[in-house]
């Protein structure tokens, strides 16, 4: 609900449990007043008159502004910096009014002298206690305006000494959580590569000694793929600021007369009961508003089994076994096209390799379809190999600078997706592929960052290519989906380099990481789940020793770990023993019976109450629940552990099977006393299904 007090000029955004309030102060500045638990009557808030603390702490500097701009006596981080045609680099905004459009509040600001319009958008997502913010800037003057910096929002958290969490890592080590204390100074997280990256992720979590179920948490996730920046700053004036938006690194946007720009949005929220509420609210928001409905299929992907050595006959053999064990979708990964026998050739030439498919791709597709499975295929459409025909014919289709070497990475260049003809080529190629073949699933990969970011076609706006590049990708996929409605798209960038709220919804699945080690995955999946929905988390069962960790983990544990997301199998199943086939059949069947709980239920990261390294996760969907327990290695004592469940109904009875025995316990018992689990040995795991009676 949006409430406006016309006389005091106080705006209140009310969600189910939270309130976000700001107002216009005596200086005409948009002042932040409150974000947190409900205060109910926002009129009790007083927009006190702020006086400068000293000449070095002027009013502009100490005012907690909703959208600070570059200009005047402001030295703090700003959300908008522009250069006007006459060289003025200074914005003085005035409040021009507001508009309410259903669940959106639009605050209208305008420069006092220049015809620059700044509209701040606030969308209230009542049910999930979220506020989505973004900004629209329009040049209504007759001359050009150059935007030098633009962020989606600034957020104010009324505390010092908070804890900040995000991810660090690298390829095959995505989603590694770090938490650090915020003190004076600034924390920056960013990406400069054109993909969101494997290290920092475009979101923030700030908490005040929170646990999963207690404490205050402020968070926000930016809906942008690629070059983002986040700044976290504890100020000298008793608060912590967060800014997120387009990375000003190598950025400039020239707005011609009557042109406008809308930033990506940031979805923000507040929880007064820990991280779990934060995750549930975000997950539920995505399930209701962003993600495509329906359960995700169990897929088989041939990458780890065959890599580039794709042969039709062998793929058919794999497809038959994939069907036998229960896969519903067969995906041919890299290596099916052009002269693709390794990383150095093929990208750009999206025709079927005749040596590998002497009777055409349809031979494989028909086999897959006759087996009753869906068919998927890997592509890397933003890239080109120097040896490809596409590059030979169009050497000017990549990002480059004159007189500079074009750097290859993984043997490839990045196509200049901001060029009309390139965008059309990519769209047409994929459209043809989807029109000529019965394809249900596209795994869209992007294996290198952008370098030599030259795009003369963008003229003055060359430096906006980082943003334009990803907009082209979004557009292509949106348009393809309009025409090929049922096709699912998986976002992959060298593993999990494209996990963000910008791409989510346009793409349906995330490839979470090339690290398919089942134990490492528990950590990756744990951190992923903080912000991102389980339904989009692809997890595969692969072979041991794992190519990366060299670890040997029992197949059952590997299945359990992968069953925590949308299940895939990436093993060389042609080498599976009879026992492995049988186990796979059982596990996949079990997954199909419970996947509605995994994909659509509420996810809980349960506590480990033991000295041993237990990893416990729970899913609850209405009257059903699942408990996953993992123990990599039992230690001294090798004693049982009590795992306290959550999200059940205290006064209801739950039935479940453990160690071959049917057990009935109350929700209160399971949540407050806990379920006794006894695992011993290495890489032990359990999956327990509970049904409310
Ligand atoms: C990187 C991806 O993460 C892998 O899953 C695989 O698709 C390879 N690229 C193929 O080149």
């Amino acid at each position: 609900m949006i409430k406006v007090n016309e006389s005091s000029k106080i705006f209140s955004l009310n969600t189910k449990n939270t309130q976000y309030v700001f107002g216009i102060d005596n200086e005409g500045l948009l002042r932040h007043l409150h974000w947190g638990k409900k205060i109910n009557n926002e009129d009790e808030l007083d927009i006190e008159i702020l006086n400068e603390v000293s000449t070095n702490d002027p009013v502009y500097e100490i005012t907690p502004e909703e959208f600070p701009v570059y200009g005047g006596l402001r030295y703090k981080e700003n959300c908008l910096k522009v250069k006007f045609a006459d060289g003025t680099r200074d914005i003085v905004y005035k409040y021009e009014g507001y508009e309410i459009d259903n669940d959106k509040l639009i605050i209208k600001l305008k420069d006092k002298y220049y015809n620059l319009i700044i509209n701040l958008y606030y969308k209230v997502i009542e049910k999930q206690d979220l506020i989505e913010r973004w900004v629209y800037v329009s040049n209504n003057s007759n001359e050009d305006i150059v935007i030098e910096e633009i962020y989606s929002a600034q957020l104010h958290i009324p505390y010092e000494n908070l804890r900040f969490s995000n991810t660090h890592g690298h390829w095959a080590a995505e989603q590694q959580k770090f938490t650090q204390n915020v003190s004076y100074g600034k924390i920056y997280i960013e990406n400069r590569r054109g993909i969101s990256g494997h290290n920092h992720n475009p979101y923030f979590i700030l908490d005040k000694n929170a646990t999963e179920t207690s404490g205050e948490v402020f968070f926000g996730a930016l809906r942008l793929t690629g070059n983002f920046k986040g700044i976290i700053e504890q100020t000298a004036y008793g608060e912590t600021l967060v800014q997120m938006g387009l990375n000003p690194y190598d950025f400039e946007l020239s707005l011609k007369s009557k042109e406008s720009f809308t930033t990506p949005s940031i979805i923000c929220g507040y929880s007064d009961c820990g991280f779990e509420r934060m995750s549930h609210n975000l997950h539920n928001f995505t399930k209701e508003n962003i993600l495509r409905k329906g359960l995700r299929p169990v897929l088989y992907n041939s990458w780890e089994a065959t890599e580039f050595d794709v042969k039709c006959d062998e793929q058919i053999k794999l497809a038959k076994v994939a069907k036998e064990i229960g896969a519903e979708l067969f995906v041919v990964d890299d290596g099916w096209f052009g002269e693709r026998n390794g990383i150095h050739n093929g990208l750009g030439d999206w025709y079927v390799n005749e040596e590998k498919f002497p009777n055409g791709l349809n031979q494989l597709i028909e086999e897959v379809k006759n087996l009753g499975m869906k068919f998927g295929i890997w592509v890397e459409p933003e890239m080109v190999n120097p040896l490809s025909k596409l590059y030979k014919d169009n050497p000017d289709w990549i990002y480059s600078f004159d007189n500079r070497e074009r750097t290859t990475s993984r043997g490839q260049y990045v196509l200049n997706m901001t060029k009309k003809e390139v965008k059309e080529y990519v769209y047409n190629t994929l459209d043809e592929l989807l029109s000529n073949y019965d394809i249900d699933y596209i795994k869209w990969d992007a294996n290198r960052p952008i370098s030599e970011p030259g795009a003369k076609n963008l003229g003055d706006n060359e430096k906006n290519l980082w943003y334009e590049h990803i907009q082209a990708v979004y557009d292509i996929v949106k348009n393809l989906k309009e025409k090929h409605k049922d096709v699912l798209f998986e976002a992959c960038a060298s593993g999990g380099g494209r996990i963000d709220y910008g791409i989510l919804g346009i793409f349906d699945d995330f490839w979470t990481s090339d690290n398919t080690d089942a134990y490492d995955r528990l950590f990756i999946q744990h951190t992923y789940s903080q912000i991102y929905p389980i339904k989009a988390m692809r997890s595969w069962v692969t072979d041991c020793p794992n190519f990366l960790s060299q670890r040997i983990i029992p197949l059952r544990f590997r299945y359990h770990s992968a069953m925590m997301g949308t299940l895939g199998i990436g093993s060389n199943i042609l080498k599976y023993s009879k026992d492995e086939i049988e186990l796979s059949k059982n596990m996949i069947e079990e997954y199909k019976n419970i996947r509605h709980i995994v994909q659509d239920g509420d996810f809980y990261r349960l506590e480990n109450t033991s000295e041993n390294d237990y990893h416990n996760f729970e899913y609850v969907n209405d009257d059903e629940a699942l408990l996953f327990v993992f123990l990599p290695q039992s230690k001294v004592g090798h004693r049982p552990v009590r795992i306290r469940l959550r999200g059940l109904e205290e006064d209801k009875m739950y039935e479940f099977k453990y160690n071959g025995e049917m057990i009935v316990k109350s929700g209160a018992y399971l949540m407050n006393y806990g379920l006794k689990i006894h695992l011993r040995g290495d890489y032990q795991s359990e999956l327990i299904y509970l049904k409310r009676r």
Side-chain angles (χ1 to χ4, degrees):
M1 196 195 18
I2 300 168
K3 274 168 77 188
V4 180
N5 184 327
E6 300 277 352
S7 61
S8 61
K9 297 229 171 42
I10 288 188
F11 302 88
S12 173
L13 311 173
N14 302 326
T15 67
K16 204 166 74 184
N17 302 296
T18 74
Q19 203 168 352
Y20 186 108
V21 191
F22 57 90
I24 315 292
D25 70 11
N26 57 309
E27 297 275 346
L29 300 178
L30 204 58
R31 189 185 306 172
H32 179 79
L33 295 170
H34 173 71
W35 185 24
K37 259 179 115 159
K38 283 198 168 164
I39 51 167
N40 294 332
N41 184 5
E42 58 284 351
D43 293 335
E44 286 183 58
L45 284 166
D46 179 27
I47 314 188
E48 59 188 319
I49 294 179
L50 295 176
N51 296 312
E52 66 173 28
V53 177
S54 78
T55 47
N56 275 301
D57 305 273
V59 167
Y60 275 39
E61 192 66 3
I62 63 176
T63 303
E65 285 181 275
E66 280 290 296
F67 196 75
V69 291
Y70 180 87
L73 280 166
R74 284 189 191 88
Y75 304 94
K76 56 192 178 188
E77 296 289 343
N78 65 81
C79 286
L80 182 65
K81 181 175 182 214
V82 304
K83 188 160 111 190
F84 294 101
D86 61 6
T88 301
R89 298 186 323 282
D90 184 278
I91 301 172
V92 181
Y93 70 76
K94 64 176 185 329
Y95 169 70
E96 293 256 292
Y98 74 92
E99 197 183 305
I100 294 178
D101 172 12
N102 294 312
D103 52 357
K104 287 194 277 299
L105 169 68
I106 305 148
I107 299 292
K108 299 181 171 183
L109 309 176
K110 188 180 167 295
D111 187 87
K112 275 192 173 158
Y113 178 82
Y114 299 94
N115 217 338
L116 171 71
I117 304 292
I118 307 164
N119 288 348
L120 309 185
Y121 280 77
Y122 296 81
K123 184 173 169 185
V124 181
I125 304 157
E126 241 179 288
K127 207 167 147 192
Q128 279 100 18
D129 286 330
L130 300 169
I131 307 276
E132 189 169 0
R133 286 187 58 181
W134 66 97
V135 182
Y136 163 90
V137 177
S138 176
N139 175 7
N140 287 6
S141 73
N142 294 324
E143 289 160 314
D144 292 4
I145 293 178
V146 177
I147 301 181
E148 294 183 348
E149 275 185 49
I150 186 161
Y151 288 85
S152 303
Q154 180 165 98
L155 295 145
H156 298 259
I157 292 128
Y159 294 118
E160 295 176 331
N161 303 322
L162 292 165
R163 288 190 309 189
F164 169 68
S165 301
N166 197 263
T167 61
H168 68 96
H170 53 79
W171 171 79
E174 300 89 339
Q175 304 288 333
Q176 303 300 303
K177 186 177 170 182
F178 75 86
T179 298
Q180 70 184 74
N181 294 332
V182 182
S183 184
Y184 296 105
K186 293 174 193 174
I187 300 171
Y188 296 108
I189 52 162
E190 62 167 0
N191 201 281
R192 301 176 169 195
R193 293 159 199 252
I195 52 168
S196 295
H198 302 80
N199 31 36
H200 303 316
N201 204 279
Y203 69 77
F204 73 88
I205 302 174
L206 283 162
D207 77 279
K208 207 163 167 38
N209 302 323
T211 67
E212 277 297 311
T213 51
S214 71
E216 290 184 274
V217 186
F218 298 81
F219 57 93
L222 185 68
R223 297 187 79 172
L224 173 67
T225 307
N227 289 13
F228 73 91
K229 183 163 180 180
I231 307 168
I232 291 84
E233 179 185 9
Q234 178 169 305
T235 72
Y237 311 111
E239 59 169 3
T240 302
L241 299 178
V242 181
Q243 255 175 258
M244 284 203 122
L246 264 62
N247 197 338
Y249 162 83
D250 198 37
F251 168 81
E252 196 173 79
L253 174 63
S254 165
L255 283 188
K256 308 270 171 277
S257 169
K258 308 294 174 285
E259 278 184 353
S260 61
F261 180 75
T262 304
T263 67
S265 65
I266 178 164
I267 305 167
C268 314
Y270 164 80
S271 153
D272 68 335
C273 42
F275 302 114
E276 181 177 290
R277 170 73 71 79
M278 165 188 81
S279 303
H280 284 180
N281 283 344
L282 283 171
H283 292 182
N284 290 337
F285 172 70
T286 61
K287 282 186 245 167
E288 283 182 26
N289 303 285
I290 298 186
L291 290 173
R292 193 191 289 223
K293 303 276 179 285
L295 295 173
R296 301 290 180 261
V298 175
L299 68 72
Y300 176 80
N301 180 298
S302 61
W303 173 245
E304 285 200 24
T306 64
E307 296 210 340
F308 298 103
D309 192 16
V310 173
K311 294 186 200 95
C312 186
D313 290 354
E314 198 185 11
Q315 295 288 320
I316 291 173
K317 282 186 199 151
L318 283 167
K320 286 183 176 155
V321 184
K323 174 66 190 177
E324 188 191 344
I325 59 175
E328 298 160 309
L329 163 68
F330 183 83
V331 183
V332 180
D333 210 279
D334 200 348
W336 60 269
F337 55 92
E339 299 307 307
R340 188 75 169 163
N341 295 311
I343 57 169
H344 292 290
N345 205 346
L347 294 176
D349 298 339
W350 298 105
Y351 58 83
V352 178
N353 182 303
E354 283 179 13
E355 264 173 51
K356 298 180 180 191
F357 292 92
N359 304 315
L361 185 62
N362 270 332
Q363 188 186 353
L364 173 61
I365 298 182
E366 276 161 24
E367 287 278 355
V368 168
K369 299 276 157 153
N370 287 339
L371 286 166
M373 285 187 291
K374 291 183 185 286
F375 181 75
I377 205 155
W378 178 97
V379 288
E380 194 176 0
E382 299 151 75
M383 308 288 165
V384 66
N385 287 119
L387 293 174
S388 67
K389 183 169 179 318
L390 185 76
Y391 183 70
K392 280 183 192 133
D393 293 347
N394 307 283
D396 57 339
W397 275 18
I398 66 164
Y399 296 117
S400 64
F401 288 127
D402 295 343
N403 309 318
R404 286 284 173 260
E405 201 179 310
R406 300 164 169 214
T407 314
T408 53
S409 174
R410 211 193 192 220
Q412 63 201 53
Y413 298 133
V414 186
L415 285 172
N416 178 352
M417 299 292 289
T418 70
K419 268 194 167 180
K420 198 168 161 275
E421 55 272 38
V422 176
K423 198 172 158 186
E424 274 169 13
Y425 167 81
V426 171
Y427 173 82
N428 290 336
T429 307
L430 293 173
D431 180 37
E432 247 171 61
L433 195 65
L434 291 172
S435 305
N436 295 342
Y437 297 100
D438 191 359
I439 293 172
D440 308 281
Y441 190 90
I442 294 275
K443 177 177 172 186
W444 180 306
D445 205 344
N447 281 296
R448 63 154 291 177
I450 294 173
S451 63
E452 293 89 33
K456 285 196 176 136
N457 56 303
L458 292 178
D460 292 354
N461 280 334
E462 192 176 45
K463 282 188 177 174
N464 197 32
L465 74 91
W466 303 96
Y467 180 74
E468 289 295 330
H469 179 100
I470 195 62
Q471 298 307 310
V473 172
Y474 292 169
D475 284 351
I476 291 169
V477 178
K478 279 186 201 158
N479 292 337
L480 287 169
K481 276 186 159 179
E482 288 250 310
K483 188 159 170 201
H484 307 277
K485 292 205 160 32
D486 297 327
V487 179
L488 289 171
F489 283 77
E490 177 177 0
C492 168
S494 264
R498 255 187 187 161
I499 297 179
D500 57 71
Y501 266 81
I503 218 155
L504 188 66
I506 299 171
F507 286 68
D508 308 281
D509 273 358
F510 287 131
W511 179 223
T512 321
S513 175
D514 278 348
N515 185 338
T516 52
D517 175 279
Y519 177 54
D520 282 356
R521 268 303 178 105
L522 296 181
F523 297 89
I524 291 173
Q525 296 176 174
H526 186 289
T527 306
Y528 167 100
S529 75
Q530 298 254 349
I531 295 291
Y532 297 105
I534 300 296
K535 193 167 194 161
M537 184 177 80
R538 267 289 161 198
S539 317
W540 302 349
V541 173
T542 57
D543 287 330
C544 277
N546 181 273
F547 82 97
L548 198 68
S549 64
Q550 292 301 307
R551 236 189 315 250
I552 297 174
I553 294 181
L555 189 54
R556 191 163 175 274
F557 186 110
R558 278 182 270 155
Y559 264 102
H560 281 155
S561 169
M563 283 160 79
M564 282 183 52
T566 54
L567 177 64
I569 292 90
S571 299
N572 188 347
I573 44 180
L574 295 180
K575 291 192 178 152
Y576 266 14
S577 67
K578 260 190 166 174
D579 286 351
E580 286 171 325
I581 294 278
E582 273 320 299
L583 183 68
S584 297
K585 278 187 191 168
N586 293 336
M587 300 302 276
I588 294 174
E589 197 186 316
E590 187 176 5
Y591 181 73
K592 287 178 184 167
N593 291 331
I594 53 143
R595 74 174 138 187
H596 61 286
I597 315 174
V598 172
Q599 296 181 18
D600 287 333
D602 290 332
F603 180 64
Y604 295 84
R605 296 169 291 260
L606 301 180
E607 269 181 333
N608 177 19
T609 48
S610 141
E611 285 292 294
N612 278 302
D613 186 21
Y614 276 92
H615 300 253
N616 316 314
F617 305 98
E618 185 193 1
Y619 299 73
V620 180
N621 197 16
D622 194 18
D623 59 348
E624 295 173 292
L626 294 171
L627 172 66
F628 285 84
V629 184
F630 300 90
L631 181 65
Q633 191 178 52
S634 66
K635 286 195 302 204
V636 219
H638 305 273
R639 299 190 39 73
V641 65
R642 264 198 277 152
I643 298 169
R644 282 199 282 268
L645 276 67
R646 294 207 291 273
L648 306 179
E649 289 175 67
E650 292 207 331
D651 54 351
K652 296 279 162 56
M653 301 305 287
Y654 290 83
E655 193 174 55
F656 56 94
K657 199 173 182 179
Y658 178 51
N659 274 342
E661 200 190 321
M662 280 316 292
I663 304 174
V664 180
K665 295 282 181 199
S666 67
Y669 173 94
L670 292 166
M671 292 197 293
N672 304 332
Y673 176 79
L675 183 55
K676 217 180 252 176
I677 300 280
H678 199 185
L679 299 182
R680 271 169 296 184
D682 293 343
Y683 296 112
Q684 295 300 305
S685 59
E686 273 304 335
L687 167 54
I688 298 171
Y689 168 79
L690 299 98
K691 173 89 180 148
R692 194 179 67 206
R693 279 178 135 190

